[in-house]
Amino acid sequence: MFKRLSLFLLLIITCTMLFSFDWGIKYGAGLSENYGDNSAYNLLYNLTVVTNDTIFTNAGSLNHVANHRKSGLAHNAGLFFVLPLTGDVNEFQIQTEITWQRYNFSSKFERVYPMPSGGILAAAFPDFVNGSVCSTIDYVTVPFLFRMQQDKPAFQDTNEAIVGYFGYVGPSVSYMFNHEITNKDGIKELDDAIKKLVADSETDFVTNQNYTYTKYENSTDKIKKIKYDMVFGFGWNLQNVLKIGLKRDAFVLDARFNLNLNQIGDADINNSYKLISGIVSLGYKL
């Protein structure tokens, strides 16, 4: 189903570019975050004792669950295309875009106490943690929007800045090309401390025991390449804003809400969550 939708959107864009249309460039900013059953980041380590390089013993695990989510700055930028379907004042249109879209959000740990199993970890990490795990995800996004536009009649004053308004709704498909996870403050310190514990054990020639650890991928550590959204928005057509005769001097101001339709988590555990964003954009018609 989703593959067919992607091909359909590509076909619509191709058809749009073969006919008479308005087009331009746009940039927008707003807020984004993740939500769902597993939206809280779960920091989970498992420690193993290796004796004489042959005997492996489970030394326990360390588990921290974020207790707050925090939204971050969202961006989009790219090209938009608007294909008129009717020519009257109340005009039906199709709008497509090719844009870069960035989501930023974080999971915050505020006085989160570890839940260690095993004496080694309980002794080494007894204190609470303050910190955050920050996520940045970049997509190439292509929406297909059904748009209803209300223009001012030609006989009205064209010197006004607002010459019409519109609303739209429709699906979009996105391809993820960049994904970054950053540990900050106490979470980074905890990760560094576990790595140090393992590194120091390699020089312990008295007990002849080494430690290894596994950090389990979960939540936003791994996400799917393809994301599908439903897009809702409204806006205004502007003209004669700069009043300096710059090209058409025609702008588009709109506000948009993107609601993720599919679960995007791709880790083995805690992978049930989605993304949402709200963005205000300014476009310039070329």
Side-chain angles (χ1 to χ4, degrees):
M1 173 184 175
F2 288 141
K3 289 184 178 179
R4 292 177 181 176
L5 177 60
S6 302
L7 292 174
F8 180 65
L9 293 177
L10 182 61
L11 177 63
I12 290 296
I13 290 176
T14 303
C15 292
T16 300
M17 299 187 69
L18 293 177
F19 298 96
S20 175
F21 58 90
D22 285 333
W23 72 289
I25 57 175
K26 64 180 297 186
Y27 169 77
L31 295 175
S32 59
E33 67 174 303
N34 65 330
Y35 72 100
D37 295 338
N38 303 133
S39 57
Y41 192 89
N42 186 189
L43 197 64
L44 181 59
Y45 296 91
N46 190 68
L47 191 70
T48 303
V49 179
V50 184
T51 306
N52 297 323
D53 295 328
T54 57
I55 302 174
F56 294 83
T57 306
N58 187 0
S61 62
L62 192 66
N63 190 9
H64 293 77
V65 180
N67 51 5
H68 295 287
R69 296 199 321 267
K70 184 179 180 181
S71 57
L73 188 62
H75 305 267
N76 70 7
L79 301 174
F80 66 89
F81 307 88
V82 179
L83 174 66
L85 299 180
T86 60
D88 52 14
V89 174
N90 298 312
E91 188 171 36
F92 290 97
Q93 302 170 329
I94 291 176
Q95 179 171 325
T96 62
E97 302 171 3
I98 302 176
T99 60
W100 156 72
Q101 188 162 1
R102 168 167 287 185
Y103 289 80
N104 283 300
F105 55 90
S106 61
S107 292
K108 294 187 69 65
F109 299 75
E110 294 183 0
R111 297 185 65 85
V112 175
Y113 285 87
M115 294 179 282
S117 64
I120 296 173
L121 291 172
F125 306 102
D127 298 327
F128 60 81
V129 171
N130 287 314
S132 58
V133 176
C134 303
S135 299
T136 297
I137 310 174
D138 291 307
Y139 291 97
V140 174
T141 298
V142 178
F144 171 57
L145 307 173
F146 298 93
R147 174 167 148 163
M148 175 64 184
Q149 179 168 296
Q150 172 71 56
D151 288 327
K152 287 187 176 182
F155 63 81
Q156 290 192 7
D157 185 5
T158 58
N159 290 321
E160 294 185 13
I162 299 178
V163 295
Y165 52 91
F166 56 85
Y168 54 75
V169 62
S172 74
V173 58
S174 301
Y175 176 79
M176 187 269 293
F177 65 91
N178 180 56
H179 177 211
E180 299 176 3
I181 297 286
T182 305
N183 295 333
K184 292 187 176 181
D185 302 322
I187 300 302
K188 183 179 186 305
E189 293 171 3
L190 175 66
D191 192 62
D192 291 342
I194 292 177
K195 292 176 181 177
K196 185 177 185 301
L197 178 68
V198 171
D200 289 347
S201 71
E202 296 176 357
T203 60
D204 185 359
F205 302 107
V206 177
T207 62
N208 201 26
Q209 290 183 338
N210 295 334
Y211 299 139
T212 63
Y213 79 95
T214 302
K215 181 178 180 294
Y216 290 96
E217 283 188 336
N218 76 97
S219 189
T220 55
D221 284 331
K222 188 177 182 181
I223 63 174
K224 296 175 182 177
K225 289 287 188 180
I226 302 298
K227 178 174 70 72
Y228 300 92
D229 294 273
M230 184 59 68
V231 181
F232 309 88
F234 61 92
W236 299 267
N237 289 318
L238 312 174
Q239 73 176 17
N240 299 322
V241 176
L242 301 178
K243 300 185 184 300
I244 59 175
L246 178 62
K247 293 288 185 179
R248 297 171 62 182
D249 198 5
F251 294 84
V252 177
L253 178 67
D254 77 0
R256 172 176 302 182
F257 179 74
N258 294 275
L259 178 63
N260 190 190
L261 298 177
N262 61 316
Q263 305 284 354
I264 64 168
D266 204 25
D268 293 333
I269 57 176
N270 297 336
N271 54 20
S272 177
Y273 62 92
K274 300 178 181 180
L275 300 177
I276 56 175
S277 69
I279 294 179
V280 176
S281 301
L282 180 65
Y284 179 67
K285 294 182 179 180
L286 297 172

